[in-house]
Amino acid sequence: MNTQAQNLLRWEQSGSPREWVDHRHGQWTHSDWEILLSTLQQSEFWPMELEAIGFLLEKLKNTAPAKESACPECGEPDPAEMARRGVEVTLFRVFATFACFRCNMQQKVDLTFIDKAEGVDVRCSCGAIAHIPPSVWCQTCGEGMSTGWQNRVSKKR
């Protein structure tokens, strides 16, 4: 087995391709594809044959388990629904995005850093500190950010 085939197998065994397909409900754009390739080219799994990557994703798409519909409160796991609620889904991370209360610059916080018990403080480059409270978590599924969560972000005193 050549290096490219071994890398593809390792990538498949990591579960990342399945997560990528499932997160998109088996639908993706050319832009999604380009972002995936760019990310893969900088990963431990590169190099791989582009055609083999596409074949694997199509295979997973056609065998993807049926997903339940998106959570009505937060949109989880549908990336488009989550984006409408200020949550950006990328290949390996999910970010909460909100505007700084002082300079209005967009802030991104990896959801894994927002403690469900304490929340998290976010420092903007302008020096302002915002607090994202734990109450932003979806009360329905507990996985995403509830509708209107940005309104709960407060100025840290």
Side-chain angles (χ1 to χ4, degrees):
M1 185 181 289
N2 69 30
T3 302
Q4 291 182 339
Q6 288 175 335
N7 287 344
L8 182 72
L9 180 60
R10 285 187 316 109
W11 183 54
E12 182 177 14
Q13 290 172 341
S14 77
S16 293
R18 166 60 70 189
E19 288 177 22
W20 191 85
V21 169
D22 288 351
H23 239 6
R24 289 160 181 77
H25 298 280
Q27 299 178 346
W28 52 87
T29 65
H30 184 69
S31 177
D32 292 332
W33 168 253
E34 288 177 335
I35 291 168
L36 172 64
L37 292 181
S38 175
T39 304
L40 285 172
Q41 288 169 351
Q42 298 173 19
S43 77
E44 66 199 63
F45 302 111
W46 199 254
M48 290 187 275
E49 292 180 19
L50 299 182
E51 190 173 305
I53 296 168
F55 180 78
L56 172 61
L57 295 176
E58 287 297 322
K59 179 181 86 170
L60 293 172
K61 170 181 157 180
N62 293 326
T63 61
K67 285 276 192 182
E68 294 181 24
S69 61
C71 174
E73 183 180 349
C74 71
E76 173 78 26
D78 182 356
E81 283 299 316
M82 293 174 70
R84 286 186 196 84
R85 292 165 172 87
V87 176
E88 177 187 357
V89 178
T90 66
L91 179 61
F92 296 111
R93 301 267 193 273
V94 179
F95 295 97
T97 57
F98 67 98
C100 172
F101 61 86
R102 184 185 293 164
C103 70
N104 213 30
M105 188 164 91
Q106 287 294 305
Q107 303 297 305
K108 284 186 181 185
V109 180
D110 188 324
L111 256 58
T112 59
F113 294 122
I114 303 175
D115 188 290
K116 290 186 180 184
E118 302 288 326
V120 68
D121 291 342
V122 180
R123 180 181 300 273
C124 180
S125 59
C126 75
I129 301 173
H131 179 71
I132 302 176
S135 64
V136 299
W137 289 101
C138 178
Q139 300 301 303
T140 303
C141 71
E143 295 299 317
M145 308 289 273
S146 62
T147 301
W149 70 269
Q150 293 99 332
N151 297 331
R152 295 187 208 138
V153 175
S154 61
K155 183 185 331 184
K156 182 78 174 181
R157 304 220 181 257

